[in-house]
Amino acid sequence: MSGFKEGFLWGGAVAAHQLEGGWQEGGKGASVADVMTAGAHGVPREITDGVLPGKNYPNHEAIDFYHRYKEDIQLFAEMGFKCFRTSIAWTRIFPKGDELQPNEAGLKFYDDLFDECLKHGIEPVITLSHFEMPYHLVKEYGGWRNRKLIDFFVRFASVVFERYQHKVKYWMTFNEINNQANFHEDFAPFTNSGLHYQPGEDREPVMFQAAHYELVASALAVNAGRDINPSLRIGCMIAMCPIYPLTCAPNDMMMAMNAMHRRYWFTDVHVRGAYPQHLLNYFARRGFELDITEEDKAALKQGCVDYIGFSYYMSFATKATDDNPQLDYDESKSLVSNPYVQKSDWGWQIDPVGLRYSLNWFWDHYQLPLFIVENGFGAIDVLESDGTVNDQYRIDYLSAHIREMKKAVEEDGVDLMGYTPWGCIDLVSAGTGEMKKRYGFIYVDKDNEGNGTLNRSKKKSFAWYQKVIASNGENL
Ligand code: BGP
């Protein structure tokens, strides 16, 4: 096969909490993103106990997409976007998360937003839960450690499937559900699952339990969506950082295999509807007794996803060490620097070939259509006096990745649905809360402290991406 398929979904990706702002407008409730302050590279975002006076919460205003989305979608249309991936903020629809009735003002906002996209021939691609669950569910229920969240999530999913079924075909359930494999730090468990650990708590089984409830909720949502409208396509969303062995020493290879098991079993459950045996054996070895019922297992089997959405920014590397005879992977300790690749200013390893490898890895394992729903280069941009940004480094990063993605399609035969680079317009960084870690084709005038006009301007990469889309990926 030559080139990308007809109807290939070129576009861009964002998440509600990182660009909408309007954190209390239209009846919206506070989400987990609303209680995280701004951090920096090496300085974690602080998760505060509610919204505290005098703190800088960058997601409260973000880039004010809530009021400016028409202007922004116009710019996406000018680039030729076929699709636009965003999320529905759960807190606009169910402000606290446990209500029985949805908030009409929130539903109306997304009706208007999707209509605006469709008016420009842009298909919305929607994530249901992208690091923005209702904060009330954290305070009252302990987040996803509580089984009750399954019902709350399925209610939310059913309401939005019902409402938008004729406007949105492509959905994903939980964004980067596997980030929480890194359970020793606070950010991923909180943003994935609303988990606040108690001092001294054994974090690992709590993470597995929360992830299990999310996977059941995802499967039930997939089923509910199919009942509402069988033409909906509902996928999962995995953060793919393939983990290489540092050397070809057999134990390094085994360490890398175990690491892949521990980061990507989530995909097995989403796609095959069952836990892989290596993980069940690991639970037994560690003595983890999880609440996994027969009913849950049946739900998982019935709610397998239609496609795999994934993000790709970087690859990882690992090596075996003498103090780890079982070769167990612990993401906070087991990663090493790869001497063969460069890194971004935030220490993210730049590895375009890893994208081709990842596409093949997913395809070999699962034979489901793949959708690259995030990829990009977070960099410090300099605004020139004429208002432009010469972001050749971003063009270089993206074109190198698209070249590899093309090889995966043309030479390796991978079934790829589309490509939506991350942060197509500058927005708040999820990991650091910074504005200066920019990904966009469109510059937004705002700094880390929240100063700026919020004006939008086109970077050099804007015209470049326009040509890429117009040529269906031929003109890089
Ligand atoms: C992914 C998230 C996004 C996003 C992106 C870039 O993990 O799905 O929400 O922000 O990575 O990360 P960051 O914003 O930390 O640079």
Side-chain angles (χ1 to χ4, degrees), residues 382 384 388-393 395 459-460:
V382 179
E384 311 286 340
T388 59
V389 173
N390 185 1
D391 58 344
Q392 186 58 43
Y393 38 87
I395 295 173
K459 302 182 194 176
K460 184 177 178 188

Side-chain angles (χ1 to χ4, degrees), residues 278-468:
H278 65 75
L279 195 65
L280 297 174
N281 290 6
Y282 179 71
F283 292 162
R285 164 155 73 86
R286 297 297 309 274
F288 296 159
E289 287 185 7
L290 303 180
D291 170 29
I292 300 177
T293 66
E294 291 305 314
E295 218 182 338
D296 291 349
K297 290 183 195 164
L300 291 175
K301 266 276 170 251
Q302 282 163 15
C304 298
V305 293
D306 296 316
Y307 68 94
I308 299 170
F310 72 95
S311 62
Y312 178 81
Y313 292 90
M314 63 192 134
S315 58
F316 289 162
T318 190
K319 71 192 273 291
T321 52
D322 292 342
D323 61 354
N324 181 16
Q326 307 263 32
L327 303 177
D328 281 330
Y329 176 70
D330 172 345
E331 197 155 306
S332 60
K333 294 201 294 221
S334 306
L335 296 179
V336 294
S337 175
N338 179 343
Y340 301 99
V341 300
Q342 307 223 302
K343 298 186 182 63
S344 79
D345 288 341
W346 278 263
W348 290 20
Q349 302 192 143
I350 302 166
D351 176 14
V353 175
L355 176 57
R356 180 178 181 185
Y357 174 75
S358 299
L359 284 160
N360 275 279
W361 187 89
F362 276 128
W363 182 245
D364 288 349
H365 277 76
Y366 304 112
Q367 289 87 43
L368 270 194
L370 303 172
F371 195 167
I372 302 167
V373 294
E374 288 184 31
N375 172 232
F377 190 57
I380 297 169
D381 289 339
V382 179
L383 193 63
E384 311 286 340
S385 51
D386 63 355
T388 59
V389 173
N390 185 1
D391 58 344
Q392 186 58 43
Y393 38 87
R394 182 166 293 109
I395 295 173
D396 292 345
Y397 176 100
L398 293 171
S399 59
H401 283 75
I402 296 172
R403 278 194 183 91
E404 294 301 322
M405 148 180 140
K406 213 155 173 247
K407 289 181 199 163
V409 170
E410 291 181 354
E411 297 179 32
D412 310 331
V414 161
D415 182 359
L416 183 62
M417 299 160 60
Y419 178 70
T420 57
W422 174 253
C424 45
I425 180 167
D426 291 347
L427 37 61
V428 176
S429 156
T432 67
E434 293 169 297
M435 270 306 297
K436 78 169 188 193
K437 190 180 187 191
R438 296 174 184 273
Y439 288 86
F441 305 113
I442 301 165
Y443 185 87
V444 176
D445 178 30
K446 183 171 179 179
D447 67 17
N448 280 354
E449 285 69 45
N451 306 308
T453 59
L454 290 169
N455 281 345
R456 278 60 166 153
S457 54
K458 298 172 193 172
K459 302 182 194 176
K460 184 177 178 188
S461 55
F462 184 100
W464 170 81
Y465 193 46
Q466 195 176 42
K467 278 196 290 181
V468 172

Side-chain angles (χ1 to χ4, degrees), residues 159-207:
V159 163
V160 296
F161 287 148
E162 188 73 52
R163 177 87 169 212
Y164 307 122
Q165 57 176 305
H166 303 299
K167 298 181 184 182
V168 180
K169 175 174 178 184
Y170 295 105
W171 300 81
M172 280 164 276
T173 53
F174 290 92
N175 184 66
E176 294 189 338
I177 189 169
N178 60 321
N179 281 352
Q180 54 197 324
N182 192 4
F183 54 86
H184 280 304
E185 48 100 277
D186 293 335
F187 174 79
F190 187 65
T191 49
N192 272 149
S193 305
L195 294 179
H196 262 316
Y197 291 109
Q198 302 305 313
E201 185 172 25
D202 186 359
R203 291 179 165 220
E204 195 173 9
V206 179
M207 178 277 287

